[in-house]
Amino acid sequence: MRVLRRTLGTLLVLGAAVSCTAAHGDDAKPGGRRPAALAPYDRLLPAPASARAEGAGYAFGAGTVIRTGAGSGEEVRQVGELLAEQLRGSSGLPLPVVDGQEGDGIRLLLDEGAQELGAEGYRLRTTASGVTLTARTPAGLFRGGQTLRQLVPVRGTGDVPGGTVTDAPRFAYRGAMVDVARHFFPVEQVKRYVDQLAQYKINTLHVHLTDDQGWRIAIDSWPRLAEYGGAGEVGGGPGGHWTKEEYRDLVEYAARRYVDVVPEIDMPGHTNAAQASYAELNCDGKARERYTGVKVGFSSLCVGSERTYEFVDQVLGEIAELTPGKYLHIGGDEAHATPADDYADFMDRAQAVVARHGKTVVAWHQLAQGRPAPGAVIQYWGHDRGPAAEKAAVVAAAKAGHPLILSPADRAYLDMKYDTTTKPGLTWAGYVPVERSYSWDPGNHLAGAPESAVLGVEAPLWTETISERGDWELMAFPRVLGLAELGWSPAGALDWTSYRERLAAQGPRLDAQEINYHRAPDVPWS
Ligand code: NGO
């Protein structure tokens, strides 16, 4: 399967290269030929494992219905309803969802025996009589539906060209993170992002819920965390927090799009908001002032106090209870105010708490220099010029069997400025233009870490400098699409020259969705 996929990926890249040559005589922009000229199956983003145009197409129009197999169950029906809703939005068609596979239209077919498609893969086949999506799971049908959205016109109706896509992800974990602690954002904004991400097959949303500047999730046993610790943010704005109802609603909304929500409670540093809310969390018994600046590394829970571990247990218990997914992120980054031995002791106990609540730990890569518990997932956020000792510890952890999530700050951090002209953002990991954020291979990025240890990739959006939706989208788009492709597409399909054309072809789609994306000069937007 792997070899087959690699070959197919190469074919696809070859296809793109051939089209490029053919376009030389065109009135192409310096960056390449006009993206609109790319054939629909060459335009897909993320690039599928294999795609071939062949035969007659299907006229997607007023008569189109969506068929979910009789007896395939409520979940497939829901996938059909959601796909209908999404396609109605762009086409204006009625698109009723009906039972039964007989007849023309868009058919969703669950085939539990299709082992080769895995947990999220799908096959999409278009002929004159319709489009058939086949998958082993409802998640696979949903992912295939997102591919179909890219094969229909951005607006209105028209032909879906004949052809076949057979597709499955390279990595199981394809994430994006949002920091709602530095600046508060309502759940509605996060849902909008989930929709934007799910269409590019991202399957995990990591929410950074707590930091020095704010605590954003209600905890019943420690109510002042959100009520007091949440009432502020960077720059002195009012802040805010999510109720448990709002959080559950977000989790459910994301789940319907096959996006898993991973909550993060950052510890033992990045805890000033908690220490301001409760005096007893401080070794000197004195509550801290709320903090509205952007410094890091100054706060620490009181590692020697048993009360701290009651806090950790109760908070993580309530968070675990809100979390259907298996992962719970406990931060662990930049605990500069916690001595190294204390850090390792604290993280031992915090990891044990996570296990007791039935979840798997995810932590930032500093945990690798402590004592990661068996199975703990390490999230690497270093960069090319970062300390060798840190990288070595991450590589050693990977070799010892710890899965890795890769978020190299000089590639995957969406809060790094693109270039000198970018208004929001930071530069501590350097500028990250679109090409740089795309041009790396997660399979061999960390020299010495085996590809088999790589669970996937994640694009974090930190919000020290981001307080409104426009800037959020400007920083995330289009770079997050590149991360989506790095997580999904076979290694053989990763190619900047082909990618930037496919990315340019997404422009009208991003426009239609009113996404405020950066018109990066290295991409030949039409
Ligand atoms: C670091 C730091 C965060 C900052 C971010 C800004 C990690 C894991 N800890 O990343 O607190 O917000 O950089 O880019």
Side-chain angles (χ1 to χ4, degrees):
M1 182 65 191
R2 181 138 229 144
V3 174
L4 171 73
R5 274 209 253 135
R6 206 161 274 153
T7 317
L8 292 166
T10 312
L11 274 180
L12 188 88
V13 173
L14 279 179
V18 168
S19 337
C20 266
T21 323
H24 266 320
D26 211 334
D27 57 343
K29 305 197 172 187
R33 75 198 179 111
R34 288 183 183 284
L38 279 179
Y41 288 100
D42 293 338
R43 223 166 36 208
L44 295 172
L45 195 163
S50 87
R52 190 161 19 131
E54 63 185 343
Y58 170 65
F60 172 68
T64 299
V65 300
I66 295 187
R67 299 178 187 279
T68 61
S72 61
E74 181 51 30
E75 201 178 334
V76 174
R77 172 96 194 176
Q78 276 187 19
V79 171
E81 292 287 0
L82 187 54
L83 179 60
E85 202 178 299
Q86 292 173 329
L87 292 173
R88 279 178 205 132
S90 58
S91 67
L93 296 174
L95 297 173
V97 180
V98 303
D99 266 350
Q101 294 290 331
E102 299 310 312
D104 290 4
I106 298 168
R107 309 176 197 96
L108 305 191
L109 199 65
L110 209 53
D111 176 2
E112 277 155 16
Q115 295 298 333
E116 73 282 5
L117 297 177
E120 290 182 277
Y122 64 91
R123 193 175 315 108
L124 179 155
R125 188 162 286 153
T126 308
T127 65
S129 77
V131 180
T132 305
L133 283 169
T134 309
R136 197 165 69 83
T137 63
L141 290 174
F142 178 81
R143 305 278 178 248
Q146 303 313 299
T147 298
L148 175 58
R149 287 175 72 191
Q150 293 187 20
L151 293 171
V152 304
V154 172
R155 283 199 183 83
T157 60
D159 275 6
V160 181
T164 305
V165 177
T166 307
D167 202 8
R170 180 180 180 195
F171 296 108
Y173 187 106
R174 304 177 305 279
M177 187 213 84
V178 285
D179 166 12
V180 294
R182 269 52 178 275
H183 279 100
F184 175 69
F185 287 88
V187 159
E188 282 315 310
Q189 164 57 19
V190 183
K191 284 179 168 177
R192 177 177 158 91
Y193 198 40
V194 166
D195 274 318
Q196 294 166 342
L197 299 173
Q199 68 181 320
Y200 295 108
K201 302 184 172 65
I202 281 180
N203 68 356
T204 309
L205 177 78
H206 164 190
V207 277
H208 183 76
L209 289 167
T210 66
D211 214 302
D212 292 318
Q213 299 86 346
W215 186 286
R216 306 300 179 203
I217 179 77
I219 301 292
D220 298 332
S221 52
W222 296 74
R224 261 176 77 80
L225 291 170
E227 282 163 16
Y228 183 79
E233 61 187 1
V234 168
H241 70 270
W242 300 339
T243 64
K244 285 193 169 175
E245 277 58 48
E246 287 174 315
Y247 190 81
R248 283 200 189 91
D249 178 50
L250 171 64
V251 168
E252 203 180 295
Y253 188 88
R256 279 202 58 192
R257 286 142 187 86
Y258 298 92
V259 171
D260 197 18
V261 177
V262 177
E264 178 186 350
I265 303 295
D266 201 348
M267 302 180 290
H270 289 278
T271 47
N272 189 77
Q275 293 173 259
S277 307
Y278 289 95
E280 64 206 274
L281 294 176
N282 299 279
C283 287
D284 62 7
K286 293 193 186 121
R288 297 291 176 261
E289 294 284 310
R290 279 189 299 219
Y291 182 67
T292 58
V294 296
K295 291 205 192 89
V296 295
F298 62 88
S299 55
S300 177
L301 292 174
C302 185
V303 170
S305 152
E306 280 312 301
R307 187 70 180 134
T308 295
Y309 300 96
E310 286 169 25
F311 166 82
V312 170
D313 184 52
Q314 288 166 355
V315 168
L316 293 184
E318 291 191 35
I319 295 290
E321 196 264 320
L322 289 170
T323 305
K326 70 184 219 197
Y327 296 122
L328 222 155
H329 203 306
I330 54 171
D333 57 323
E334 297 173 321
H336 307 316
T338 319
D341 287 351
D342 285 359
Y343 173 84
D345 292 348
F346 174 87
M347 292 303 274
D348 283 352
R349 292 187 66 173
Q351 292 180 89
V353 169
V354 172
R356 233 182 8 258
H357 291 291
K359 300 294 178 189
T360 299
V361 165
V362 186
W364 298 107
H365 74 239
Q366 279 70 23
L367 177 62
Q369 286 165 299
R371 291 181 289 266
V377 177
I378 305 290
Q379 182 165 14
Y380 172 72
W381 61 283
H383 56 101
D384 285 0
R385 291 170 293 109
E390 269 188 32
K391 279 183 210 165
V394 177
V395 169
K399 286 184 172 156
H402 291 281
L404 299 183
I405 297 170
L406 299 179
S407 303
D410 53 348
R411 319 266 176 175
Y413 266 32
L414 301 176
D415 58 319
M416 291 303 126
K417 290 177 189 281
Y418 293 91
D419 55 39
T420 54
T421 67
T422 315
K423 290 213 177 72
L426 305 174
T427 54
W428 67 262
Y431 293 108
V432 182
V434 177
E435 177 172 3
R436 183 172 175 80
S437 70
Y438 175 80
S439 303
W440 57 288
D441 181 349
N444 62 23
H445 185 69
L446 252 190
E451 173 162 350
S452 58
V454 178
L455 190 60
V457 296
E458 184 179 291
L461 180 69
W462 300 97
T463 59
E464 285 97 329
T465 64
I466 297 165
S467 58
E468 44 184 67
R469 186 177 101 190
D471 283 347
W472 169 322
E473 292 182 357
L474 183 82
M475 299 306 274
F477 295 94
R479 286 181 294 197
V480 74
L481 275 64
L483 269 292
E485 170 144 317
L486 293 179
W488 181 280
S489 304
L494 304 181
D495 172 66
W496 167 247
T497 312
S498 133
Y499 175 72
R500 69 175 176 179
E501 296 202 5
R502 287 182 292 109
L503 176 56
Q506 292 298 313
R509 217 160 274 283
L510 301 176
D511 287 331
Q513 294 174 21
E514 294 174 5
I515 295 176
N516 183 38
Y517 62 99
H518 172 56
R519 270 77 176 166
D522 40 359
V523 178
W525 307 105
S526 52

